Amino acid sequence: MNIILLGAPGGGKGTQSEFLCEKNGFVQLSTGDLFRSNIMNKTSLGTEAQKYMDQGLYVPDTITNGMVQEFLKTKSDGLIFDGYPRTAEQASALDEMLEALQGSIDKVIYFEIDAAILMDRLTGRLICQTCKRSYHIKNRPPLVEGVCDYDHSRLIVRPDDAPDKVRTRLMVYQEQTAPLVDFYKDKLIKIDANNKTPVELYQDLVKVLAI
Ligand code: AMP
Ligand code: ZN
């Protein structure tokens, strides 16, 4: 089974894919994480992607789709797509790539959440450099300030979580990604993600996915 987690940045996609991988054996395909590891390893793909990411803009489809194609060579089932696809062009490309591998998307989960909550979540977010788990200064603080509970690595603020970058990202999401709700209308399951703890949201997910 392949699942897409769709929704605005800060809606809880990353945390829920963490849970689905840990508890249900899925593997996460996060294009954001793949770009960030390319940046950290100073690859040419990373250098190119960073130009866009630093501005809160989307990396061009050809680069993004190419990176996903490489990933799918290693695994094409049991995946949680987190932050991909984000444009109509990417959604069509993904259908084609999976079809070539006799695969498909089974379900698309759409996290509905108010814009005001997103701003607060993203600007208070902390990320572990090693395991990529996310925390929040107020809502989900680590046990020890600035340190990951799991591997004790340092937590950082993502450069694109600065308030002006977040505003751009939310605007780009509305323009380019929100229309995918229509593209996936036959597979779409909406979940109200407002005022829910990560665990409550996970319980909703388990129910609708019947896993
Ligand atoms: P994320 O970690 O999913 O919030 O992604 C961080 C940034 O990486 C985004 O703001 C984009 O600049 C870039 N990015 C990640 N996934 C995609 C994608 N599917 N298409 C284009 N750009 C992406
Ligand atoms: Zn960690």
Side-chain angles (χ1 to χ4, degrees):
M1 174 154 70
N2 286 319
I3 298 166
I4 293 175
L5 301 186
L6 190 62
K13 300 190 300 291
T15 306
Q16 293 307 317
S17 29
E18 244 171 60
F19 288 162
L20 290 165
C21 294
E22 269 167 30
K23 299 178 203 284
N24 306 89
F26 285 97
V27 167
Q28 180 196 34
L29 197 175
S30 157
T31 39
D33 282 350
L34 290 175
F35 284 135
R36 280 184 289 277
S37 79
N38 271 282
I39 291 172
M40 219 152 75
N41 295 324
K42 300 191 170 24
T43 69
S44 56
L45 189 148
T47 311
E48 187 60 22
Q50 189 167 24
K51 291 186 213 156
Y52 300 91
M53 291 171 73
D54 280 352
Q55 301 178 65
L57 300 173
Y58 285 172
V59 178
D61 288 333
T62 43
I63 300 177
T64 310
N65 290 335
M67 184 174 71
V68 171
Q69 178 129 49
E70 283 305 305
F71 185 103
L72 293 176
K73 282 182 188 163
T74 61
K75 187 167 171 65
S76 59
D77 192 34
L79 295 176
I80 301 289
F81 290 87
D82 167 10
Y84 181 89
R86 264 173 151 112
T87 65
E89 173 70 35
Q90 291 178 14
S92 312
L94 178 60
D95 273 353
E96 278 171 28
M97 289 188 277
L98 286 174
E99 208 177 291
L101 296 160
Q102 272 83 47
S104 62
I105 293 297
D106 297 280
K107 287 177 178 154
V108 179
I109 305 291
Y110 176 58
F111 296 97
E112 283 184 300
I113 189 149
D114 294 343
I117 298 181
L118 295 175
M119 195 69 196
D120 174 66
R121 288 226 196 138
L122 290 167
T123 52
R125 183 160 74 168
L126 300 165
I127 307 278
C128 171
Q129 279 183 308
T130 305
C131 72
K132 320 293 176 217
R133 281 185 174 84
S134 66
Y135 297 81
H136 189 277
I137 298 176
K138 289 196 307 270
N139 311 337
R140 196 192 181 195
L143 296 170
V144 178
E145 198 184 320
V147 179
C148 177
D149 295 349
Y150 296 86
D151 50 40
H152 312 293
S153 301
R154 203 165 64 84
L155 301 179
I156 55 149
V157 175
R158 266 172 51 174
D160 58 346
D161 280 343
D164 59 324
K165 302 291 180 338
V166 168
R167 273 190 287 275
T168 307
R169 285 163 64 206
L170 293 177
M171 221 167 62
V172 172
Y173 169 80
Q174 275 310 326
E175 275 171 17
Q176 304 205 42
T177 307
L180 290 188
V181 166
D182 200 45
F183 183 95
Y184 287 119
K185 59 180 180 301
D186 297 338
K187 296 173 179 174
L188 199 78
I189 303 168
K190 285 189 187 182
I191 290 197
D192 180 359
N194 288 295
N195 310 313
K196 286 204 182 115
T197 65
V199 171
E200 286 166 345
L201 200 54
Y202 173 68
Q203 284 161 348
D204 285 357
L205 263 183
V206 169
K207 248 186 251 156
V208 298
L209 291 170
I211 48 175

